[in-house]
Amino acid sequence: DLIKSEAKYRNILENMEEYYLETDLKGNFVFFNDSLCRMLGYTREELQNINYRKIIPSEQHQYIFALSNEVYRTGETKKIIHHTVLTKDGSIRHIERSIVLMRSATGEPLGFSGIGRDVTQRLEAEWIIQKNERHLRLITDNIRDIIWTMDFNLQFTYLSPSVLHITGFTPDEVMKMPLSATVPSGTGMMIEQLLAEELRQEVSRE
């Protein structure tokens, strides 16, 4: 049963997308799964017994040491920390991971373990979205026409600053008004109906 349990445990570790790592108290690698090898581009033989300082930029060494030391002193797990690592080809990857203190059967500290994942693509996507949002905001904040967005309740969620020059009201003031108060008399209800119908058709297409 013990052999079967160990085999099952190792099978899970070797097939999970996240990487799993164990180090001794000095930060030398003692056990890891294939996901770590794939992420860093090293073979098992190359990673075995190397120190964490080899794969982490030098400016982050003190940061990782301080976190590990805190886990050692308090015994409390660091569930999510972020830092970068260097792959074999020199490229930089962003990761998020945990740090857990490992103890012997008698409670003596043995080293550290943790599960982590490569979040480089996610962070790059978030950066692109933020960059595009900044560009869009720059355009909408300086255009003469009014640009607006609404939620599903037909309430304004954004109005370009040009609304002040056209209506005399600030974007914040207009966003607090009902739609009917922002258009000529008699057309508010018609616009609300048209927008509601367009929303209904979009929902039906899904």
Side-chain angles (χ1 to χ4, degrees):
D1 288 342
L2 182 59
I3 296 177
K4 289 182 179 179
S5 296
E6 182 178 349
K8 183 178 180 180
Y9 166 72
R10 289 184 175 274
N11 185 57
I12 292 173
L13 287 179
E14 294 305 334
N15 287 281
M16 59 193 286
E17 292 185 9
E18 294 83 2
Y19 77 76
Y20 177 79
L21 171 66
E22 294 179 0
T23 71
D24 60 21
L25 292 175
K26 294 182 179 180
N28 299 312
F29 291 13
V30 295
F31 178 77
F32 46 86
N33 62 1
D34 286 341
S35 291
L36 183 65
C37 298
R38 289 192 295 269
M39 183 181 74
L40 297 176
Y42 288 98
T43 65
R44 279 188 168 276
E45 291 73 21
E46 290 171 327
L47 284 182
Q48 194 67 40
N49 295 321
I50 72 166
N51 191 272
Y52 75 91
R53 291 180 177 85
K54 181 175 181 179
I55 65 163
I56 295 179
S58 57
E59 63 271 15
Q60 297 181 41
H61 289 177
Q62 184 58 38
Y63 168 67
I64 300 300
F65 174 79
L67 290 175
S68 300
N69 188 50
E70 183 179 348
V71 172
Y72 176 82
R73 288 186 295 101
T74 66
E76 296 181 0
T77 297
K78 292 290 183 182
K79 293 184 178 180
I80 300 179
I81 65 170
H82 295 84
H83 63 85
T84 58
V85 293
L86 297 171
T87 65
K88 185 177 181 179
D89 65 10
S91 60
I92 295 177
R93 310 300 295 178
H94 296 266
I95 66 170
E96 63 178 26
R97 69 181 180 99
S98 60
I99 302 179
V100 181
L101 182 65
M102 297 190 300
R103 297 181 183 274
S104 68
T106 58
E108 292 296 317
L110 292 177
F112 304 97
S113 67
I115 294 176
R117 62 179 63 87
D118 186 339
V119 295
T120 305
Q121 289 185 335
R122 188 191 77 191
L123 293 180
E124 289 176 347
E126 291 175 354
W127 180 82
I128 291 173
I129 290 173
Q130 292 172 359
K131 180 180 179 181
N132 290 339
E133 287 179 344
R134 287 195 297 269
H135 287 170
L136 179 60
R137 182 57 63 94
L138 180 64
I139 293 172
T140 57
D141 284 355
N142 291 279
I143 200 169
R144 290 183 176 274
D145 295 329
I146 297 177
I147 296 178
W148 52 270
T149 59
M150 283 184 168
D151 60 21
F152 290 150
N153 294 316
L154 304 183
Q155 298 296 315
F156 289 114
T157 57
Y158 172 78
L159 280 161
S160 58
S162 54
V163 72
L164 175 63
H165 302 293
I166 296 175
T167 68
F169 295 103
T170 67
D172 287 341
E173 290 173 331
V174 176
M175 289 176 69
K176 296 176 182 178
M177 300 177 183
L179 177 62
S180 58
T182 65
V183 295
S185 177
T187 61
M189 183 66 71
M190 180 181 68
I191 293 176
E192 288 182 356
Q193 291 176 348
L194 289 173
L195 291 174
E197 175 61 22
E198 180 65 24
L199 178 59
R200 186 193 64 77
Q201 291 181 8
E202 285 296 325
V203 172
S204 65
R205 291 191 189 104
E206 295 179 359

